Amino acid sequence: MLGDFMPILVLVCLAALICGVMVVGSYVLGPKKVTPYKSSPYECGVMPLGTATERFPIKFYLVAILFVLFDIEVVFLWSWLTIFKDAPTDFQVFSGVDVAVYLGLWIVGYLYIIKIGALDWDEATSLAPEKLEASATVAVPAQASNQEALA
Amino acid sequence: MSQWIEDIAKGKDAVLFGIHMYGPGVLALIKVLLLLIPALILVPGLIWWERRLLSWMQDRIGPNRTGTITVPDNFPIKGLRGKKQRTAGLLQPIADGLKLFLKEDITPASIDRKVYFLAPAIALFPAFAIGGTLPWGSAYLPFGDAVGGIYSLLTPVANVDIGILYVLAISSLGVYGVVLAGYSSNNKYSLMGGLRSSAQLISYELAMGTALASIVLASGSLRMTDMVRVQEQALWGVLPAVQNWFVLTPFGLVGAVIFLICMIAETNRAPFDLPEAENELIAGYHTEYSSMKFAVFFMGEYAAMFFFSGVFAAVFLGGYNLLPLNYEYLATHGWNFLGQDMGGFWRGMAWFNYWAGPAIFVGKCVVGITFFIWLRATLPRLRYDQLMGLGWKTLLPLGISNLIIVGLWIVATKLWGIGGGWAAWAAAAAVLVIIYLNIASLSKKDEMAFGGRSVEMKDPSPRRTVKMVDPNKV
């Protein structure tokens, strides 16, 4: 039933076994002397503040969504990619035009996300451009103002 | 002599070792062990090699002491007693590994226990499983298209018809280990490291997929052995003496560069090691891990480097072939060098190439890893927006353009011959360069915004106001 994939199953089982032995082995072999300081989260030697499950920038979510969209769009191409080279010329021309249209839509979507700044990691421009203008100050030579500050 | 070698390879070799007589289960186990045992032996060796090479590049010596063998005083041969034999520190990683096993395994109190213990295993698992479809020896005998010989029985572990998809699927599992480790540790640094890593891995996976897709389009098969076989044909379809390694073709070179960059990013190596940027995130996702669990992440990284180099070698560098030369063609159409018939020499080279295949393949992997180490010693770390920009705004459009160009090239070659193919290639490249430049100009606006920005930092005390102004603006 498994056919060609049976060795893969063996490989996967052995790889999982190695990983399991590594993790369990280190848990079993090492000494354990638990103290409250050791078992608190590491924050550079300072008492940890709040929990770690904090809010994080929505950019990560956005990247994940875009990844799913674009990856699925490439996934649809794989079967076509495999048969294209050895296919009859008629099929190559017609399916080539089809795929060109499909990739054209892909590119339009791509241009759209670039244009709305979904991939800009500088939040000042992509999320709130008005903040940028509000915080813009008159340019003063950096060195001079630093010298003033020191004086 | 060479006749004897040919006899062995042509069918007697399998009999020699009796391998063909085993059932599929035993054969599968042999194949898997032939893949995993060298990997397990090579990983400590690679750690040693990285430490030594980095040391030399930084004008240091590196670990060279561990493993000095002193012959004991009661040794039978008198002359050898008290002699010392150095092993150049090769045993250092093994000593480190043993030490790590015996170190305290600190388990923080507020973690998500199940996920916390599962995460290192999940991070290591794909690194070992990824080599399942890699061919490390030729399934075809020299001189002829017959499948046969010892390597056709032993490699790859599974010659499945979705070889390259398997590599992509398994390599994308690696992100789970990293994200789960960061999430379960209940540490802010771990969480940020895990998040960064997940965003980085998925971004570069897209470009990696497109780079491999263009090669699949050019080779017409997802099977890894076929992809190597295609590379043994005539270069560009016109030079029969030279092999058509994809790195020697224009679209393959673009694909190789994209794949190389993505491969470095996928293994979290410098200059893409932002998930573990130690000066801002302590150690990133493995901050809370200690003892061997900590080292398991590194083992995973090195094993992944090794196998990714293997994929690169198989897909772009002609796999197990030493030089991009068609020995069979040269043997039959060989030049007469200084009046000497070179046919015998090329025949010998063809058989050497066949038998040394596994060593050549491992050699290519080691060269790949040396390249990784060289990059780590050379390049500084990228900024996060540069990293995402490189993945999404440079490599992804480049990969898709490459895909379109390969498709056009295939159709045009079929319709108008080799000249049509090259013309289509040039025209498509010109159009796509223009499109790419337009895309690049679209994303220029945020750089302008960066340039015009000035930040004012105020201290509560009235006298100290520091203004930081962009010097380009002044």
Side-chain angles (χ1 to χ4, degrees):
Chain A
M1 187 186 76
L2 283 165
D4 283 349
F5 287 88
M6 201 267 290
I8 296 271
L9 184 68
V10 177
L11 174 67
V12 163
C13 291
L14 266 182
L17 187 73
I18 292 171
C19 303
V21 166
M22 291 275 177
V23 174
V24 174
S26 86
Y27 184 73
V28 172
L29 287 173
K32 276 167 204 67
K33 299 187 191 76
V34 181
T35 68
Y37 290 107
K38 264 191 219 168
S39 58
S40 69
Y42 180 77
E43 273 187 28
C44 310
V46 188
M47 284 299 285
L49 265 175
T51 62
T53 47
E54 285 206 33
R55 298 194 297 172
F56 51 82
I58 196 161
K59 284 285 170 186
F60 290 107
Y61 172 78
L62 202 56
V63 165
I65 287 287
L66 291 176
F67 163 74
V68 171
L69 283 176
F70 283 88
D71 206 37
I72 294 293
E73 287 186 34
V74 176
V75 163
F76 285 135
L77 283 177
W78 280 102
S79 51
W80 174 79
L81 294 171
T82 317
I83 58 161
F84 182 69
K85 193 191 174 197
D86 300 320
T89 312
D90 289 355
F91 176 81
Q92 280 185 338
V93 172
F94 285 114
S95 71
V97 171
D98 289 348
V99 170
V101 171
Y102 177 76
L103 280 177
L105 288 175
W106 193 100
I107 289 171
V108 168
Y110 179 78
L111 289 177
Y112 175 71
I113 62 159
I114 294 281
K115 195 156 174 60
I116 62 166
L119 293 171
D120 292 344
W121 283 75
D122 177 21
E123 294 188 344
T125 52
S126 61
L127 292 183
E130 67 280 1
K131 275 187 196 166
L132 187 69
E133 272 137 46
S135 71
T137 54
V138 182
V140 183
Q143 266 191 328
S145 61
N146 286 348
Q147 278 166 1
E148 268 171 43
L150 288 172
Chain B
M1 178 69 183
S2 81
Q3 190 59 42
W4 176 73
I5 293 174
E6 286 178 32
D7 280 349
I8 288 181
K10 268 182 183 151
K12 287 182 187 165
D13 59 350
V15 184
L16 202 65
F17 301 98
I19 285 166
H20 67 296
M21 305 213 290
Y22 294 121
V26 179
L27 199 56
L29 198 63
I30 292 174
K31 285 176 178 176
V32 170
L33 289 179
L34 277 177
L35 183 81
L36 285 186
I37 290 176
L40 281 172
I41 293 170
L42 273 168
V43 163
L46 293 176
I47 294 172
W48 170 84
W49 176 233
E50 163 148 37
R51 292 182 64 183
R52 287 307 295 261
L53 201 61
L54 270 183
S55 303
W56 292 333
M57 286 174 176
Q58 296 166 351
D59 209 3
R60 295 184 286 128
I61 296 169
N64 66 342
R65 303 293 168 90
T66 316
T68 304
I69 299 158
T70 313
V71 181
D73 284 338
N74 54 1
F75 196 72
I77 303 162
K78 268 192 182 172
L80 289 178
R81 285 177 193 171
K83 283 261 169 71
K84 285 183 179 177
Q85 178 56 50
R86 283 193 168 176
T87 54
L90 257 175
L91 296 183
Q92 180 77 47
I94 295 167
D96 285 346
L98 279 177
K99 182 196 73 180
L100 277 165
F101 261 117
L102 299 174
K103 284 285 171 186
E104 180 172 2
D105 192 356
I106 301 170
T107 313
S110 49
I111 50 159
D112 189 338
R113 273 188 94 81
K114 278 179 209 153
V115 181
Y116 176 81
F117 278 97
L118 208 56
I122 295 179
L124 181 60
F125 166 75
F128 280 122
I130 199 173
T133 53
L134 274 185
W136 44 262
S138 176
Y140 300 87
L141 291 168
F143 305 107
D145 287 330
V147 176
I150 184 90
Y151 297 135
S152 68
L153 288 174
L154 293 180
T155 179
V157 168
N159 195 12
V160 290
D161 50 3
I162 53 159
I164 203 77
L165 277 186
Y166 172 83
V167 169
L168 276 176
I170 294 288
S171 74
S172 61
L173 283 181
V175 70
Y176 284 102
V178 172
V179 172
L180 291 179
Y183 187 73
S184 66
S185 294
N186 193 33
N187 181 321
K188 294 176 193 100
Y189 299 111
S190 298
L191 182 72
M192 282 316 292
L195 280 173
R196 276 186 182 191
S197 186
S198 62
Q200 174 183 333
L201 291 183
I202 61 176
S203 299
Y204 280 80
E205 216 166 273
L206 276 178
M208 183 186 251
T210 54
L212 288 176
S214 59
I215 297 302
V216 168
L217 194 55
S219 63
S221 176
L222 292 167
R223 202 186 286 268
M224 298 281 276
T225 50
D226 288 350
M227 294 180 85
V228 181
R229 187 72 179 157
V230 166
Q231 295 182 59
E232 291 171 353
Q233 291 167 357
L235 182 64
W236 310 328
V238 286
L239 286 175
V242 185
Q243 288 187 346
N244 190 29
W245 287 11
F246 282 128
V247 78
L248 300 178
T249 58
F251 58 85
L253 184 64
V254 175
V257 170
I258 297 172
F259 186 83
L260 194 67
I261 295 172
C262 294
M263 164 171 121
I264 298 161
E266 289 278 305
T267 46
N268 286 336
R269 293 282 303 181
F272 300 104
D273 56 347
L274 281 102
E276 42 191 290
E278 66 268 15
N279 37 16
E280 31 187 311
L281 291 177
I282 321 295
Y285 55 89
H286 51 61
T287 302
E288 291 292 348
Y289 284 89
S290 53
S291 157
M292 196 61 194
K293 285 210 297 296
F294 165 75
V296 158
F297 285 109
F298 280 96
M299 274 191 73
E301 185 180 311
Y302 282 88
M305 271 161 68
F306 181 68
F307 284 122
F308 266 118
S309 300
V311 174
F312 185 76
V315 175
F316 294 101
L317 291 181
Y320 33 74
N321 291 300
L322 179 61
L323 293 169
L325 293 175
N326 267 332
Y327 303 114
E328 302 167 28
Y329 179 84
L330 286 169
T332 46
H333 303 76
W335 324 305
N336 289 334
F337 183 68
L338 294 178
Q340 289 275 324
D341 181 22
M342 297 293 281
F345 171 73
W346 292 120
R347 283 182 78 80
M349 280 301 288
W351 283 103
F352 169 77
N353 192 49
Y354 174 74
W355 283 109
I360 294 165
F361 190 73
V362 172
K364 282 183 182 175
C365 294
V366 172
V367 169
I369 285 163
T370 308
F371 183 72
F372 272 95
I373 298 166
W374 182 24
L375 275 185
R376 180 177 165 187
T378 309
L379 295 177
R381 191 178 291 136
L382 268 75
R383 214 172 54 206
Y384 200 74
D385 61 317
Q386 290 172 334
L387 172 94
M388 297 310 266
L390 179 65
W392 281 93
K393 292 175 186 168
T394 308
L395 295 183
L396 183 60
L398 209 58
I400 286 289
S401 319
N402 201 27
L403 192 67
I404 297 169
I405 289 175
V406 178
L408 272 176
W409 176 71
I410 289 173
V411 175
T413 309
K414 206 163 182 182
L415 289 178
W416 301 298
I418 189 81
W422 283 96
W425 195 90
V431 171
L432 287 164
V433 162
I434 294 165
I435 294 176
Y436 174 73
L437 288 177
N438 279 316
I439 294 173
S441 72
L442 267 182
S443 57
K444 270 281 175 341
K445 69 173 195 297
D446 46 298
E447 277 173 34
M448 298 297 287
F450 255 123
R453 179 156 69 177
S454 59
V455 180
E456 196 172 344
M457 294 199 294
K458 269 192 178 162
D459 204 6
S461 60
R463 280 185 63 235
R464 299 190 49 173
T465 305
V466 181
K467 271 185 188 151
M468 286 176 27
V469 178
D470 185 50
N472 299 327
K473 190 81 180 173
V474 181

